Amino acid sequence: MEAWRCMRKGYGHCVVGRGRYPMFSHHSRSLGRDWTTPWENLQRCCWNRHISSCMRWPGHYSQVPYPYFSSRHFSLNWRPPCLFESRTQFQYCNWRPDNLSQTSLIHLSSYVMNAEGDEPSSKRRKHQGVIKRNWEYMCSHDKEKTKILGDKNVDPKCEDSENKFDFSVMSYNILSQDLLEDNSHLYRHCRRPVLHWSFRFPNILKEIKHFDADVLCLQEVQEDHYGAEIRPSLESLGYHCEYKMRTGRKPDGCAICFKHSKFSLLSVNPVEFYRPDISLLDRDNVGLVLLLQPKIPCAASPAICVANTHLLYNPRRGDIKLTQLAMLLAEISSVAHQKDGSFCPIVMCGDFNSVPGSPLYSFIKEGKLNYEGLAIGKVSGQEQSSRGQRILSIPIWPPNLGISQNCVYEVQQVPKVEKTDSDLTQTQLKQTEVLVTAEKLSSNLQHHFSLSSVYSHYFPDTGIPEVTTCHSRSAITVDYIFYSAEKEDVAGHPGAEVALVGGLKLLARLSLLTEQDLWTVNGLPNENNSSDHLPLLAKFRLEL
């Protein structure tokens, strides 16, 4: 409120409390309720007075994603509303000061603020849009059929039968409150009340109740909120919840919750990526793997392996990301392994902090990656600068991690036999040792799952990218639901020849949106969507 009073008087107020200084000339300040000042005056004020170091001012309460008129923000992608007199939308251009003529005018309306943190009433309605997401049905005989979200009816041609088990999975990064506050620069486009946990949690719970998924894979679940609110609320909705907090002093973790009515729990397998004995693995990310048994009367069915993770964010540390992924895949391999040597169906969800088409993403889908000569900053596809150009070492992780280049625990390569029935000769043991050593020196990573992505990541008609997260700095896809597809779905798939995985059929998915779609509702979070990520939702069928 102090910043607003200063603005009404034509003053800026420094964050560090070093006094006030005039932001506009006397002529500009005396124009009345609505100020109009030449662009060169504002430019001179902003760059010469270092306004970027001061508290946010009324421009913060427009739909503009960046509240400060500062040279370091003009280099970013701007999507302002009708801020200029020309009412021009700059949605897809790199907007810089030199894009404006020196005669351009900036118009600042003198809004009346009702209370601290309130948005001007004249702008409030423009923020309260509701994004539309459709159900896209994937049945081969009815691919074009869609229904508006909220229609509880299902495609009649995709209904359950006695020899089928249908279930739905949601993956959702719900945005830890502590991480939000630690990274407030990512949410400058938001009104402060929208960012409060007391406002956000009811919205998140409302989304979860509305989608009514059978399995929830949640990331950035803050421990204190999980114990006090999230878990009790979900249990009241019929979910059983399992949680793994990040190691160290990190306040959040991953949770997998499933409906009692659909599944019984066979095993819980947390994965800690931090290893004090390995210098590479000094980050506190985690994963969680559950083995669930479908509840089907009068029918036998295989278990379903559900994994959830949140990989390291740092775009320049692809070596750590790949190693964390290999650790998760090794745990999945151990949990999903069946007596006949095959694997039960797998659903792998999470925030993988990698973009579609990146080497890490391709490795998940194709089952193999030759990383020789690959720069660590290119692994996730997020790093656009020249940083992170160090080449990945061969092998990426040290031998004492105990995970092979095939992303399985090395102890599993030796046949499990009873102590009294060991028939391995000394020659066989030496051969095994030689093979393992040779494998460690290879630059080829592999895994034995035929995994497909629920989403295609681009709109087929336009080629515009789908977006799963959108805040003041970026709008990209980093969240995924991968699943082990049926054999017919992986025909010609690069990893199909090594896949020994029970298949799932994708029945439907909740459509994603473009970056432009999300900025029509002021990005994420907003009044109706209370995370900076969109929930991903898919419906699967298991043939019995």
Side-chain angles (χ1 to χ4, degrees):
M1 202 64 186
E2 175 64 16
W4 173 241
R5 286 194 293 268
C6 292
M7 188 64 199
R8 290 295 302 271
K9 295 177 182 179
Y11 289 95
H13 189 280
C14 185
V15 169
V16 294
R18 295 180 179 175
R20 302 173 177 176
Y21 50 82
M23 293 175 61
F24 304 107
S25 64
H26 174 76
H27 173 72
S28 301
R29 296 199 307 270
S30 61
L31 289 177
R33 293 185 59 82
D34 289 309
W35 301 319
T36 304
T37 185
W39 163 250
E40 60 269 18
N41 289 0
L42 182 60
Q43 183 185 36
R44 182 165 56 251
C45 292
C46 290
W47 272 269
N48 294 344
R49 300 291 188 177
H50 306 291
I51 192 173
S52 64
S53 66
C54 301
M55 291 181 65
R56 56 190 62 169
W57 49 295
H60 168 71
Y61 295 99
S62 73
Q63 289 185 344
V64 181
Y66 303 102
Y68 305 123
F69 285 92
S70 162
S71 58
R72 67 189 179 92
H73 291 311
F74 285 139
S75 63
L76 301 173
N77 289 326
W78 252 59
R79 298 164 193 84
C82 301
L83 180 64
F84 299 97
E85 287 191 349
S86 64
R87 319 296 279 187
T88 303
Q89 294 284 344
F90 294 89
Q91 292 191 354
Y92 292 105
C93 64
N94 257 351
W95 190 73
R96 300 173 182 272
D98 53 10
N99 292 130
L100 295 175
S101 67
Q102 291 299 309
T103 58
S104 298
L105 299 178
I106 292 219
H107 182 268
L108 300 175
S109 294
S110 104
Y111 302 126
V112 176
M113 305 296 287
N114 297 324
E116 183 174 6
D118 279 358
E119 182 183 3
S121 58
S122 61
K123 289 286 184 180
R124 188 176 300 122
R125 288 189 299 273
K126 294 185 179 180
H127 292 296
Q128 294 180 348
V130 178
I131 56 178
K132 300 290 186 181
R133 299 180 67 185
N134 299 326
W135 276 108
E136 300 174 344
Y137 287 90
M138 316 307 293
C139 294
S140 58
H141 54 267
D142 200 8
K143 286 185 178 180
E144 301 300 323
K145 184 166 185 174
T146 60
K147 289 183 180 294
I148 299 297
L149 178 64
D151 186 347
K152 297 297 184 179
N153 297 323
V154 298
D155 184 346
K157 297 180 181 179
C158 293
E159 291 179 348
D160 289 331
S161 65
E162 292 182 359
N163 60 342
K164 298 179 178 66
F165 178 73
D166 291 0
F167 64 101
S168 56
V169 177
M170 176 196 283
S171 181
Y172 196 7
N173 182 327
I174 63 174
L175 181 57
S176 160
Q177 189 66 24
D178 283 1
L179 293 178
L180 181 156
E181 293 169 4
D182 289 344
N183 298 276
S184 58
H185 61 282
L186 299 178
Y187 312 106
R188 287 172 171 165
H189 61 285
C190 300
R191 298 190 304 117
R192 288 303 304 173
V194 171
L195 299 178
H196 295 160
W197 178 248
S198 59
F199 178 89
R200 296 201 305 117
F201 178 63
N203 266 2
I204 292 171
L205 187 62
K206 180 181 178 181
E207 281 185 294
I208 291 174
K209 291 173 66 175
H210 181 75
F211 292 135
D212 196 32
D214 299 316
V215 180
L216 305 175
C217 291
L218 306 178
Q219 304 90 42
E220 290 196 23
V221 180
Q222 193 164 304
E223 182 192 27
D224 55 345
H225 294 155
Y226 173 74
E229 298 171 274
I230 299 174
R231 180 174 180 173
S233 298
L234 293 180
E235 287 179 342
S236 70
L237 297 176
Y239 289 97
H240 174 89
C241 301
E242 295 291 339
Y243 177 70
K244 173 59 182 172
M245 190 176 74
R246 285 204 283 170
T247 51
R249 298 182 178 180
K250 304 300 182 181
D252 65 289
C254 295
I256 301 180
C257 312
F258 60 90
K259 286 190 174 180
H260 291 288
S261 59
K262 296 283 284 190
F263 298 97
S264 57
L265 180 63
L266 297 182
S267 69
V268 180
N269 308 274
V271 185
E272 293 185 356
F273 299 142
Y274 173 78
R275 290 286 295 268
D277 56 329
I278 299 177
S279 59
L280 174 69
L281 296 173
D282 60 350
R283 309 304 165 97
D284 294 308
N285 307 84
V286 296
L288 184 61
V289 183
L290 301 190
L291 192 62
L292 304 178
Q293 182 67 51
K295 290 184 176 180
I296 305 175
C298 304
S301 70
I304 297 174
C305 180
V306 179
N308 185 23
T309 193
H310 188 176
L311 299 185
L312 176 70
Y313 165 73
N314 192 334
R316 301 185 298 278
R317 293 308 303 269
D319 51 346
I320 299 178
K321 293 174 190 270
L322 278 174
T323 305
Q324 291 179 345
L325 176 61
M327 296 172 73
L328 180 68
L329 291 172
E331 187 65 27
I332 292 173
S333 178
S334 176
V335 172
H337 190 268
Q338 299 184 114
K339 293 181 180 179
D340 62 358
S342 65
F343 299 95
C344 68
I346 296 164
V347 178
M348 184 170 70
C349 302
D351 182 341
F352 290 81
N353 274 312
S354 301
V355 302
S358 65
L360 187 144
Y361 171 87
S362 298
F363 173 52
I364 294 175
K365 286 198 65 178
E366 297 176 7
K368 57 185 178 182
L369 173 67
N370 186 346
Y371 59 85
E372 184 176 4
L374 179 62
I376 61 174
K378 302 299 183 182
V379 169
S380 66
Q382 299 167 290
E383 184 58 60
Q384 302 300 323
S385 71
S386 59
R387 297 177 296 178
Q389 297 305 305
R390 179 169 61 83
I391 302 301
L392 287 168
S393 61
I394 302 176
I396 299 175
W397 54 82
N400 60 329
L401 180 60
I403 294 177
S404 74
Q405 297 288 92
N406 288 331
C407 298
V408 296
Y409 293 123
E410 289 185 332
V411 292
Q412 294 180 347
Q413 295 179 341
V414 179
K416 294 182 179 180
V417 293
E418 300 294 335
K419 292 181 180 180
T420 58
D421 191 29
S422 177
D423 57 354
L424 283 177
T425 65
Q426 191 67 26
T427 302
Q428 288 174 316
L429 289 172
K430 288 182 179 179
Q431 288 176 345
T432 302
E433 183 178 355
V434 170
L435 288 174
V436 171
T437 303
E439 183 185 61
K440 288 178 180 178
L441 298 177
S442 171
S443 61
N444 292 304
L445 291 181
Q446 294 184 7
H447 67 76
H448 297 295
F449 311 128
S450 290
L451 297 176
S452 294
S453 173
V454 164
Y455 292 92
S456 57
H457 314 307
Y458 296 90
F459 289 89
D461 297 336
T462 62
I464 297 175
E466 296 173 337
V467 165
T468 67
T469 179
C470 178
H471 50 63
S472 294
R473 289 291 178 89
S474 67
I476 56 175
T477 286
V478 293
D479 306 279
Y480 303 93
I481 300 177
F482 296 104
Y483 68 102
S484 52
E486 287 183 325
K487 290 183 176 61
E488 60 185 289
D489 294 339
V490 296
H493 192 284
E497 66 277 6
V498 296
L500 296 170
V501 184
L504 296 171
K505 185 174 184 64
L506 177 63
L507 297 182
R509 65 191 180 194
L510 188 65
S511 65
L512 289 173
L513 302 168
T514 67
E515 179 179 4
Q516 183 182 14
D517 293 333
L518 289 174
W519 281 116
T520 63
V521 292
N522 200 36
L524 297 174
N526 55 53
E527 278 78 358
N528 297 294
N529 309 92
S530 286
S531 173
D532 58 348
H533 293 248
L534 291 173
L536 279 58
L537 190 62
K539 185 174 182 179
F540 298 104
R541 169 166 292 169
L542 174 64
E543 301 285 351
L544 303 177

